[in-house]
């Protein structure tokens, strides 16, 4: 079977750092993507890791370890607008994405 | 500002009725996806097309769902007959060649009573 595991909820305060972990068990792994979705909105792309290591994009970074079937999304200098759901997604052959159930991040002041 | 468009944005219908959802992918994107999102199941891939050819529709209930791409600018998802359990948000997404970023449309919120 195929599965992606990520925490269902995370809470933090403004200015803090949060790490959202994702472990996966899938066939035909090509890479790991992260998407953000605000309430009532559409998922939007944040990052993609095909190789081991850390990718940094502004306040957000994403990490992948293929040998451990593990990745994480790191959000720094949290802002209220970062309150949203974050999904990890495994990219399989043919570009299809298998999504995790999502992590709801709540940022308070 | 290129974006994926979907119509209708909201649809309320009675069970047994036919529902058709439409999607216009971003110009130049050759891969189009249909997803369904519910609280219980999360985001599920229903079907996807590349260069208008169906690549995978294994996520779709075949007896009532059908997906087509009559041309490069239009993808359709049809449910006939609709059932209350089909109530969900249906997203279309498109991706360009040699890209790994999927662009999602705003979704169609379907309620079947």
């Amino acid at each position: 079977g195929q599965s992606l595991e990520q925490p269902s909820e995370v809470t933090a305060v403004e200015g803090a750092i949060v790490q959202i972990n994702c472990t996966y068990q899938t066939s035909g792994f090509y890479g790991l993507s992260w998407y953000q979705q605000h309430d009532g909105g559409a998922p939007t792309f944040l990052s993609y890791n095909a190789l081991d290591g850390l990718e940094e994009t502004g306040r957000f970074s994403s990490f992948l370890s293929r040998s451990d079937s593990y990745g994480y999304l790191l959000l720094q200098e949290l802002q209220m607008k970062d309150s949203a759901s974050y999904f990890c997604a495994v990219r399989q052959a043919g570009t299809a994405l298998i999504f995790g159930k999502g992590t709801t991040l709540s940022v308070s002041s | 500002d290129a974006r994926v468009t979907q119509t209708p944005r909201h649809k309320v219908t009675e069970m047994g009725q036919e529902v058709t959802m439409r999607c216009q992918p971003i110009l130049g994107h050759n891969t189009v996806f249909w997803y369904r999102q519910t609280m219980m199941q999360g985001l599920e891939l229903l079907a996807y097309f590349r260069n208008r050819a169906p690549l995978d529709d294994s996520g779709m209930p075949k007896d009532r769902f059908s997906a087509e791409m009559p041309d490069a600018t239009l993808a359709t998802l049809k449910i006939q007959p609709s059932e209350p359990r089909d109530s969900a948000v249906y997203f279309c997404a498109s991706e360009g060649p040699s890209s790994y970023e999927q662009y999602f449309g705003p979704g169609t919120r379907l309620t079947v009573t």
Side-chain angles (χ1 to χ4, degrees):
Chain A
Q2 304 188 99
S3 67
L4 287 88
E5 297 291 331
Q6 54 181 125
S8 57
E9 291 183 14
V10 173
T11 59
V13 296
E14 277 187 302
I17 299 173
V18 154
Q19 179 173 312
I20 299 174
N21 298 320
C22 174
T23 57
Y24 58 88
Q25 184 174 6
T26 62
S27 57
F29 178 86
Y30 277 60
L32 190 69
S33 296
W34 288 92
Y35 284 76
Q36 178 192 60
Q37 185 179 28
H38 285 99
D39 257 357
T44 56
F45 173 84
L46 291 177
S47 69
Y48 177 70
N49 294 66
L51 303 175
D52 286 359
L54 190 68
E55 296 278 346
E56 297 181 65
T57 309
R59 294 187 297 114
F60 293 1
S61 303
S62 57
F63 171 83
L64 174 66
S65 168
R66 295 174 70 112
S67 59
D68 295 323
S69 299
Y70 163 75
Y72 66 72
L73 180 68
L74 188 73
L75 300 88
Q76 303 181 77
E77 301 171 21
L78 279 175
Q79 302 174 10
M80 297 289 285
K81 66 178 182 178
D82 298 328
S83 293
S85 292
Y86 293 84
F87 295 86
C88 61
V90 164
R91 187 177 183 88
Q92 298 190 304
T95 75
L97 288 178
I98 306 299
F99 282 85
K101 288 286 196 287
T103 298
T104 301
L105 171 64
S106 300
V107 181
S108 58
S109 56
Chain B
D1 185 22
R3 61 183 66 188
V4 176
T5 58
Q6 290 185 245
T7 57
R9 295 291 309 277
H10 302 272
K11 176 73 175 178
V12 180
T13 190
E14 293 182 348
M15 66 179 294
Q17 296 299 305
E18 177 178 300
V19 174
T20 299
M21 290 168 269
R22 294 177 173 80
C23 166
Q24 181 172 8
I26 292 173
L27 189 65
H29 282 194
N30 65 335
T31 309
V32 177
F33 306 83
W34 283 105
Y35 292 93
R36 174 171 64 183
Q37 186 173 36
T38 61
M39 288 295 292
M40 292 299 295
Q41 299 299 324
L43 262 168
E44 303 173 280
L45 177 68
L46 296 175
Y48 72 103
F49 297 78
R50 176 165 299 127
N51 299 323
R52 296 176 54 203
L55 284 192
D56 187 356
D57 62 0
S58 59
M60 232 166 44
K62 300 289 191 307
D63 55 339
R64 299 183 300 108
F65 284 58
S66 62
E68 295 180 345
M69 254 197 106
D71 63 60
T73 63
L74 176 65
T76 63
L77 180 67
K78 189 175 296 185
I79 308 174
Q80 167 63 24
S82 58
E83 298 181 0
R85 59 179 168 153
D86 301 329
S87 297
V89 180
Y90 291 80
F91 287 105
C92 173
S94 70
E95 183 178 292
S98 305
S99 172
Y100 43 75
E101 179 177 351
Q102 292 186 13
Y103 293 79
F104 282 73
T108 294
R109 184 173 295 276
L110 174 65
T111 303
V112 183
T113 61

